């Protein structure tokens, strides 16, 4: 089922400070809802209505197409704020933001389709995500051809395949589907598919440890017909082996901002816990213990490093200095591992309290662990960096 988001007029010309303030204004409500949606494993449709009403679903849509045209720095800040409250909402949002951010900077993306998607986002709050992962293939970042096949006919492309980990599946209006053609020499690329077409099914398979409210279900395509001009980009398989630096940057910085946001929420909770928890055996708050102060200082150090990495990489990109793909991947690796370690440190100070379902730290820990499996994975990043250093 595709969400029905009520239409309101776009609000062009809004300053960056105002946009961030709008996101921060929504976060207390998002945090309150996150408890219920995490427990039930349901997408927070109402959060996206609020984001639409605040003009934030068109954050990365170009100004010329009715959006706000936000750069990498502003986008990472908004994502970080939302992630502190509800990282599942932030995960769906990042996928949508990346699509518009990249298509606005791509010479390959068909302008007509970019305009269509931008208009749909600005006027109707329509969300989009790329569906790439498959049961047999796994993540395409490690190579291999997709089993999803697009067959060209006189009436349109006919798409058949099975996608997994399709973040936001219940609320998306558009899919960008990774598939291969049935030609003698298969080409591989993306096809734009409207959600809800005949032959499309969502299997509610997502029952995960973390990010439970992200709706990352399976999507099945059975001979789904799309127009011939809904082909986004097709290349020979070998042409996809070189990672696009802009794609690497947004996945490194934007993904990093989400997991850093989770760690910041955990930090805020443990600070309050240390200040207010007064064991009778101690007769003073836990915050008075040097051990607690030292571990909290370590958390602060990790988060300060994250803030510097995310902000400087995003600022450089906005100023025209594009990091290499290897550098962006290392930023993601460093930020997400710092985030996991920071939450683990917070748990070490909280004892049983932090693992109770009645406290948010337990949920923050489950959510932040997803950073370790989020593409690009650590092993692939380290191997690539090692090979680069060795000149291989």
């Amino acid at each position: 089922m595709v969400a029905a988001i009520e239409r309101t007029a776009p609000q062009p010309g809004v300053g960056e400070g105002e946009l961030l303030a709008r996101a921060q204004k929504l976060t207390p409500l998002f945090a309150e809802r996150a408890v219920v949606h995490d427990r039930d494993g349901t997408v927070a449709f109402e959060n996206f209505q609020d984001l639409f009403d605040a003009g934030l679903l068109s954050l990365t849509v170009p100004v010329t197409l009715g959006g706000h045209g936000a750069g990498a720095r502003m986008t990472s800040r908004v994502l970080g704020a939302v992630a502190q409250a509800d990282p599942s909402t932030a995960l769906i949002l990042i996928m949508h933001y990346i699509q518009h951010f990249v298509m606005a900077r791509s010479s390959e993306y068909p302008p007509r389709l970019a305009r269509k998607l931008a208009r749909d986002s600005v006027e109707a709050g329509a969300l989009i995500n790329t569906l790439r992962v498959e049961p047999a293939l796994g993540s395409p970042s490690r190579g291999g051809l997709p089993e999803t096949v697009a067959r060209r006919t006189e009436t349109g492309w006919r798409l058949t395949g099975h996608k997994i980990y399709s973040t936001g599946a219940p609320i998306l209006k558009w899919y960008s589907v990774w598939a291969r053609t049935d030609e003698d020499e298969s080409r591989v690329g993306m096809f734009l598919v409207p959600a809800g077409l005949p032959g499309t099914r969502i299997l509610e398979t997502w029952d995960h440890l973390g990010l439970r409210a992200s709706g990352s279900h399976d999507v099945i395509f059975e001979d789904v017909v799309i127009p011939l001009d809904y082909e986004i980009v097709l290349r020979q398989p070998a042409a996809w082996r070189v990672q696009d630096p802009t794609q690497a940057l947004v996945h490194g910085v934007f993904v990093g901002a989400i997991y850093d946001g989770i760690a910041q929420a955990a930090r805020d909770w443990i600070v309050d816990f240390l200040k207010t928890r007064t064991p009778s055996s101690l007769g003073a708050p836990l915050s008075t213990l040097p051990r607690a102060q030292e571990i909290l200082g370590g958390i602060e150090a990790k988060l300060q490093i994250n803030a510097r990495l995310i902000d400087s990489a995003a600022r450089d990109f906005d100023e025209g200095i594009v990091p290499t793909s290897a550098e962006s991947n290392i930023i993601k690796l460093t930020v997400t591992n710092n985030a996991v370690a920071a939450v683990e440190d917070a748990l070490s100070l909280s004892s049983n309290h932090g693992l109770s379902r009645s406290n948010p730290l337990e949920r923050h820990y489950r959510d932040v662990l997803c950073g370790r499996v989020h593409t690009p994975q650590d092993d692939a990043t380290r191997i690539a960096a090692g090979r680069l250093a060795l000149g291989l």
Side-chain angles (χ1 to χ4, degrees):
M1 177 180 177
V2 179
I5 294 182
E6 296 179 6
R7 178 172 177 171
T8 58
Q11 298 171 297
V14 179
E16 289 191 348
E18 169 63 19
L19 290 170
L20 183 58
R22 291 182 186 182
Q24 292 169 334
K25 185 178 180 180
L26 295 174
T27 55
L29 185 57
F30 286 8
E32 186 178 314
R33 293 169 178 164
V35 179
V36 176
H37 287 290
D38 173 78
R39 183 192 65 214
D40 297 343
T42 52
V43 172
F45 278 61
E46 62 273 38
N47 288 357
F48 290 92
Q49 180 68 59
D50 290 341
L51 287 164
F52 178 61
D53 291 342
L56 293 172
L57 291 188
S58 55
L59 184 71
T60 59
V61 173
V63 173
T64 54
L65 298 178
H68 299 292
R73 196 178 187 206
M74 184 64 217
T75 304
S76 64
R77 288 181 172 182
V78 169
L79 286 168
V82 174
Q84 287 186 56
D86 184 352
S88 289
T89 291
L91 188 68
I92 298 171
L93 190 61
I94 186 183
M95 301 307 175
H96 174 73
Y97 281 171
I98 285 174
Q99 291 292 311
H100 288 282
F101 191 94
V102 171
M103 75 175 73
R105 292 160 177 79
S106 171
S107 60
E108 290 186 290
Y109 211 103
R112 186 185 66 81
L113 296 183
R115 289 193 297 269
K116 175 189 286 291
L117 293 170
R119 183 172 61 251
D120 214 9
S121 175
V122 171
E123 296 180 357
L127 296 168
I128 181 172
N129 187 14
T130 294
L131 310 190
R132 292 170 60 87
V133 187
E134 297 180 350
L137 175 69
S139 171
S141 64
R142 295 182 182 268
L145 290 176
E147 291 188 344
T148 301
V149 175
R151 183 166 54 89
R152 187 184 179 98
T153 69
E154 292 183 358
T155 57
W157 290 102
R158 290 183 172 269
L159 195 72
T160 298
H162 181 175
K163 297 298 182 181
I164 60 176
Y165 306 148
S166 305
T167 295
I171 198 172
L172 299 177
K173 184 173 180 182
W174 296 97
Y175 308 132
S176 179
V177 180
W178 178 251
R180 61 181 172 87
T181 65
D182 68 339
E183 300 162 320
D184 292 339
E185 292 188 11
S186 290
R187 292 178 294 162
V188 179
M190 312 303 302
F191 295 84
L192 184 63
V193 182
L197 288 179
T200 303
R201 291 184 292 127
I202 295 175
L203 301 182
E204 295 189 355
T205 52
W206 184 250
D207 188 12
H208 213 254
L209 176 73
L211 299 172
R212 288 179 48 77
S214 65
S216 301
H217 300 303
D218 292 15
V219 180
I220 308 295
F221 301 99
E222 296 175 333
D223 204 29
V224 175
V225 181
I226 59 172
L228 291 174
D229 60 356
Y230 272 33
E231 165 193 319
I232 297 174
V233 58
L234 287 172
R235 302 176 188 164
Q236 295 300 319
W240 290 101
R241 292 173 188 166
V242 178
Q243 189 176 20
D244 175 68
T246 298
Q247 284 277 7
L249 182 282
V250 295
H251 280 91
V253 171
F254 294 177
V255 169
I258 289 180
Y259 292 104
D260 180 68
I262 298 170
Q264 289 187 48
R267 177 262 182 202
D268 291 346
W269 185 88
I270 198 63
V271 166
D272 183 69
F273 177 80
L274 294 174
K275 287 181 176 180
T276 57
R277 175 66 176 165
T278 305
S280 58
S281 59
L282 181 63
L286 291 174
S287 59
T288 61
L289 294 174
R291 172 180 174 274
Q293 296 164 6
E294 181 183 7
I295 293 176
L296 182 60
I299 293 173
E300 291 295 293
K302 295 177 181 70
L303 296 185
Q304 286 290 335
I305 291 169
N306 282 1
R308 282 288 183 179
L309 285 173
I310 292 170
D311 192 70
S312 63
R315 184 177 61 247
D316 282 353
F317 183 88
D318 290 343
E319 294 176 355
I321 305 169
V322 182
T324 65
S325 296
E327 184 180 357
S328 294
N329 292 344
I330 288 170
I331 288 171
K332 183 267 177 182
L333 177 150
T334 304
V335 169
T336 53
N337 280 284
N338 278 348
V340 171
V343 179
E344 289 177 337
D345 286 346
L347 280 172
S348 74
L349 291 171
S350 66
S351 188
N352 275 333
H353 302 280
L355 292 174
S356 171
R357 294 290 297 270
S358 63
N359 291 320
L361 190 56
E362 177 266 349
R363 172 165 47 87
H364 298 329
Y365 184 51
R366 289 188 285 105
D367 287 340
V368 81
L369 288 176
C370 296
R372 288 177 170 165
V373 296
H374 204 128
T375 302
Q377 285 88 24
D378 291 359
D379 66 315
T381 296
R382 291 190 179 105
I383 289 171
R387 289 179 61 84
L388 187 63
L390 292 167
L392 299 176

